[in-house]
Amino acid sequence: MQDCFKRDIDYLRVSLTSNCNLRCQYCMPEQGIKQNEKILSQKDLIHLVELISSTGIKKIRLTGGEPLLYPNIEVLIRRFKAIKGIEKIVLTTNGILLADKIRSLKEAGINGINLSLDCLDKNLFRKITRGGNIDKVLSGIKAAKEKDIPLKINSVIMQGVNTQEIIPLIEFANDNKIDLRFIELMPMNVAKNFKAVKEDDLKAIISKKYGALKPIDVFEGPAHYYQVENLVINIGFISALSHKFCANCNRLRLTSTGILKPCLHYNSGVNLKKLLNDNISDEEILMIIKDTIYHKPKNHHLEDKTFCQKEDKSMSLIGG
Ligand code: SAM
Ligand code: SF4
């Protein structure tokens, strides 16, 4: 359905858990994040996703925390794929468990995987993720390629942390023919301890090494893509601050605790789990979902220091 600003809202990001097997320094504190609210039961999760999808959702992304920690994620993929109108089920993962899971994900019918990878240097990877083993991620990428699952790599580049990894990441993605997107760090929670490298600075580094960047039309949510003169892959950018994309935003989020969030950057949302627990009828819940979609905020206010409804939770709690 359309919201009141005539945006087609057809993409749902579902956070399956806020737990993670890594502790990326810009996403979580070392000790992890304690989730006080209980997460949705599998039955309630499926029921809510079915209700939300009936408004016209075409694509569902499973995320987290680390979604591959969810027991029997394959059951969810099969159930969500069977929902009328759903064209694609995709996944965002840190890749640690990917090699072990790839066969069952493929059999369940996963349509694509976005892999988060901020560097290729073993020691730096261990440092940024506080203990992660990059070899496992690289095995996961290899396994996904062997199964012909469409892959993208997402990288967050931070000043003084991994700028030296920009070219190695591009070389790796280009050699493996995997499109690469740079995600601009958003200043939420512990991420405020770091400084993003802005899109224009990334483009300058890329064009100096690989030649001109030519914009290409790919209608895919917030990312915009470029063909680069001396690369076989396309490079994408998702830059919430420096290239605000709210006018084209098509997304909704469901957190693992059952909150439906119409905008990542507002600290508000409707507690659908509570509605289920209070035995509110499906018709009424659907009306509330439609009302939430209709009133999706026009844009974020990340740049406005005085805005009081700003979301400041870690991306792992909201579902990045
Ligand atoms: N654990 C999975 C992973 O890392 O791919 C899925 C969840 S994670 C929260 C999803 C994405 O959010 C990752 O690509 C991560 O780099 C990104 N992320 C986390 N915090 C962020 C922030 N403050 N700004 C921008 N991206 C962020
Ligand atoms: Fe875990 Fe993903 Fe957050 Fe890293 S970015 S701590 S992998 S949820």
Side-chain angles (χ1 to χ4, degrees):
M1 68 172 272
Q2 284 192 333
D3 69 2
C4 62
F5 301 105
K6 303 235 171 304
R7 295 174 294 195
D8 287 312
I9 310 302
D10 56 11
Y11 178 21
L12 176 66
R13 295 175 76 96
V14 180
S15 174
L16 301 182
T17 172
S18 57
N19 287 338
C20 190
N21 44 6
L22 297 181
R23 292 283 182 275
C24 301
Q25 293 196 26
Y26 60 91
C27 181
M28 279 198 194
E30 191 159 10
Q31 67 278 17
I33 294 177
K34 200 167 167 343
Q35 173 70 269
N36 295 320
E37 279 285 309
K38 265 181 85 173
I39 70 164
L40 288 164
S41 66
Q42 189 174 93
K43 181 167 160 272
D44 285 352
L45 172 62
I46 292 171
H47 185 59
L48 286 178
V49 169
E50 284 172 349
L51 274 180
I52 298 167
S53 299
S54 72
T55 64
I57 299 295
K58 293 182 183 156
K59 175 171 159 186
I60 295 176
R61 176 170 302 281
L62 306 178
T63 181
E66 176 47 42
L68 293 182
L69 291 175
Y70 192 87
N72 294 323
I73 188 174
E74 300 82 2
V75 173
L76 292 183
I77 295 171
R78 288 199 171 87
R79 290 293 298 264
F80 293 166
K81 272 195 88 106
I83 298 173
K84 192 167 161 257
I86 296 298
E87 296 167 4
K88 272 187 180 175
I89 307 286
V90 291
L91 175 78
T92 294
T93 175
N94 60 31
I96 294 287
L97 296 173
L98 193 55
D100 299 340
K101 288 259 177 189
I102 203 74
R103 197 167 145 204
S104 60
L105 291 172
K106 173 83 180 180
E107 282 169 8
I110 197 81
N111 297 108
I113 296 177
N114 285 2
L115 203 124
S116 307
L117 184 63
D118 304 325
C119 66
L120 284 162
D121 180 87
K122 249 182 187 218
N123 292 327
L124 184 60
F125 185 83
R126 196 176 300 120
K127 187 172 169 202
I128 294 177
T129 61
R130 296 200 184 92
N133 177 355
I134 198 168
D135 291 336
K136 294 197 169 169
V137 182
L138 300 178
S139 309
I141 295 178
K142 191 162 168 261
K145 271 179 68 84
E146 280 166 9
K147 292 271 179 211
D148 277 333
I149 299 176
L151 264 184
K152 287 190 196 110
I153 294 177
N154 289 336
S155 302
V156 174
I157 305 294
M158 294 157 283
Q159 293 180 28
V161 177
N162 58 344
T163 46
Q164 70 282 16
E165 293 288 312
I166 297 167
I167 300 298
L169 282 165
I170 295 174
E171 293 287 319
F172 175 80
N174 201 51
D175 290 348
N176 286 282
K177 299 194 175 50
I178 305 172
D179 282 349
L180 173 65
R181 286 118 50 97
F182 290 105
I183 302 185
E184 191 172 87
L185 185 77
M186 296 175 282
M188 308 157 74
N189 202 266
V190 288
K192 283 187 274 192
N193 298 331
F194 298 90
K195 274 211 166 83
V197 175
K198 295 273 184 304
E199 178 173 329
D200 291 351
D201 296 330
L202 288 167
K203 281 180 184 156
I205 293 168
I206 296 168
S207 63
K208 190 167 167 213
K209 170 95 180 164
Y210 298 107
L213 278 73
K214 192 171 132 215
I216 48 173
D217 283 338
V218 179
F219 295 101
E220 207 199 61
H224 51 283
Y225 285 88
Y226 293 82
Q227 219 171 42
V228 185
E229 208 174 336
N230 294 311
L231 291 177
V232 294
I233 55 162
N234 295 322
I235 303 269
F237 297 89
I238 301 181
S239 312
L241 269 162
S242 65
H243 292 72
K244 205 167 176 171
F245 46 74
C246 303
N248 299 319
C249 184
N250 61 346
R251 348 178 124 187
L252 288 177
R253 286 183 151 81
L254 181 66
T255 71
S256 58
T257 58
I259 311 287
L260 181 66
K261 280 176 73 76
C263 175
L264 168 65
H265 295 293
Y266 278 64
N267 58 12
S268 53
V270 278
N271 190 336
L272 299 182
K273 183 171 75 170
K274 182 164 187 312
L275 298 179
L276 283 181
N277 290 346
D278 291 347
N279 291 318
I280 306 296
S281 70
D282 282 356
E283 290 71 29
E284 278 177 87
I285 297 180
L286 187 56
M287 269 174 50
I288 293 167
I289 291 171
K290 286 183 175 170
D291 187 62
T292 307
I293 296 176
Y294 189 75
H295 290 109
K296 180 176 159 75
K298 188 173 183 193
N299 47 247
H300 71 64
H301 297 266
L302 274 173
E303 64 283 19
D304 178 357
K305 290 203 167 61
T306 61
F307 183 65
C308 59
Q309 291 180 57
K310 211 181 277 183
E311 180 60 272
D312 196 36
K313 287 204 264 318
S314 154
M315 286 288 270
S316 64
L317 282 176
I318 309 164

